[in-house]
Amino acid sequence: MNRILIIEDEQAIAELEKDYLELSDFEVVIEADGSSGAARAIDEDFDLIIIDLMLPGMDGFEICSLIRETKNTPIIIVSAKKDDIDKIHGLGLGADDYMTKPFSPSELVARVKAHLSRYKRLTASGVPENDTIEIRGLKIDKTARRVYINDEEKIFTTKEFDLLAFLAQNPNHVYSKEELFKEIWELESVGDIATVTVHIKKIREKIEESSSKPQYIETIWGVGYRFKI
Ligand code: CA
């Protein structure tokens, strides 16, 4: 549940905002004094903070800049005076939005929701990193299904890729040709275990400097292959 802090000295307004936000499933905390509101905004984690400008103890301008020293929490400033909006802009306080009293509570709720979803989008880890395996100059990007040797891309067929990725994901494990065939081809009932040998040869031509002295896929005579790490 999202937690919202309202710093507002007019109790009726604070309660009205709280009621509307609670109807939209927000958890709401009210502070009526500027200093205690600022302290709470800094000590606790809120998802969004609504700050009135004229407050006892510390005004909204000061609270806003104080919060911005350490936090990026979305801030909506509310003010009774339209002129204050220019001042907010002029001071560059880092408020995300402002509203002039009187405003409709449902408008406030709509803006709160908009800022929360925007903030969550911005702070989400963004594009997830590709799942890659990197060993001595060989890079296997399992997400994009691409293979690079010293940053140069090598073109792999689907099965060559599957076979290399499988071996690299299970390094130092010796697999027989039968096991590899079963793992990569079984469901397609095409080819036989000689297919494995052919594919290993092709993969080596792409990733090994010398196919006779492979650095990545090692032949274990009489047993099978293993990916060396
Ligand atoms: Ca006030």
Side-chain angles (χ1 to χ4, degrees):
M1 190 186 273
N2 287 304
R3 286 186 85 217
I4 296 180
L5 173 64
I6 297 172
I7 310 177
E8 170 65 71
D9 59 329
E10 284 174 71
Q11 201 192 343
I13 293 176
E15 291 293 339
L16 185 68
E17 292 173 358
K18 184 173 191 267
D19 288 348
Y20 269 77
L21 289 164
E22 282 179 348
L23 281 174
S24 288
D25 280 335
F26 293 109
E27 187 188 324
V28 180
V29 172
I30 296 172
E31 284 289 341
D33 175 81
S35 312
S36 56
R40 196 143 182 194
I42 286 155
D43 292 345
E44 294 179 29
D45 282 326
F46 292 96
D47 296 289
L48 186 141
I49 303 169
I50 298 167
I51 309 173
D52 178 35
L53 273 188
M54 300 313 291
L55 291 162
M58 186 187 287
D59 71 25
F61 295 113
E62 215 177 324
I63 298 172
C64 191
S65 50
L66 207 59
I67 293 170
R68 279 291 172 264
E69 283 176 15
T70 53
K71 295 188 176 194
N72 292 317
T73 317
I75 295 175
I76 298 177
I77 286 189
V78 296
S79 165
K81 290 187 287 179
K82 281 206 164 63
D83 296 352
D84 285 335
I85 290 165
D86 296 334
K87 198 173 170 192
I88 293 164
H89 281 311
L91 290 171
L93 293 172
D96 297 86
D97 204 353
Y98 49 82
M99 297 182 79
T100 311
K101 292 178 190 173
F103 49 79
S104 90
S106 39
E107 169 72 14
L108 175 71
V109 172
R111 293 209 195 180
V112 164
K113 285 180 178 171
H115 284 289
L116 282 174
S117 60
R118 180 178 153 273
Y119 185 69
K120 297 228 152 100
R121 270 202 312 279
L122 290 175
T123 53
S125 52
V127 181
E129 279 194 22
N130 283 9
D131 184 5
T132 59
I133 300 170
E134 284 193 75
I135 301 151
R136 301 186 305 274
L138 169 67
K139 182 176 163 192
I140 305 167
D141 184 333
K142 294 197 300 173
T143 311
R145 294 183 61 89
R146 297 170 99 163
V147 180
Y148 303 83
I149 282 284
N150 300 321
D151 294 327
E152 186 193 333
E153 185 171 7
K154 300 289 175 179
I155 306 304
F156 272 60
T157 66
T158 305
K159 292 298 175 195
E160 287 166 7
F161 183 88
D162 289 345
L163 184 56
L164 175 64
F166 175 75
L167 286 167
Q169 277 175 104
N170 301 282
N172 294 328
H173 184 121
V174 180
Y175 289 97
S176 67
K177 289 175 192 171
E178 288 80 4
E179 285 171 321
L180 292 172
F181 184 74
K182 207 173 162 222
E183 186 66 40
I184 310 295
W185 282 273
E186 191 196 39
L187 295 173
E188 291 166 28
S189 66
V190 285
D192 51 45
I193 60 163
T195 310
V196 177
T197 318
V198 172
H199 277 74
I200 294 283
K201 184 169 175 285
K202 287 189 174 159
I203 293 169
R204 280 178 175 159
E205 284 167 3
K206 292 173 190 182
I207 65 170
E208 301 285 2
E209 244 176 79
S210 158
S211 290
S212 58
K213 279 191 204 158
Q215 299 301 304
Y216 298 107
I217 300 174
E218 189 180 24
T219 302
I220 310 297
W221 294 106
V223 188
Y225 302 101
R226 81 163 169 196
F227 192 94
K228 281 199 287 187
I229 197 161

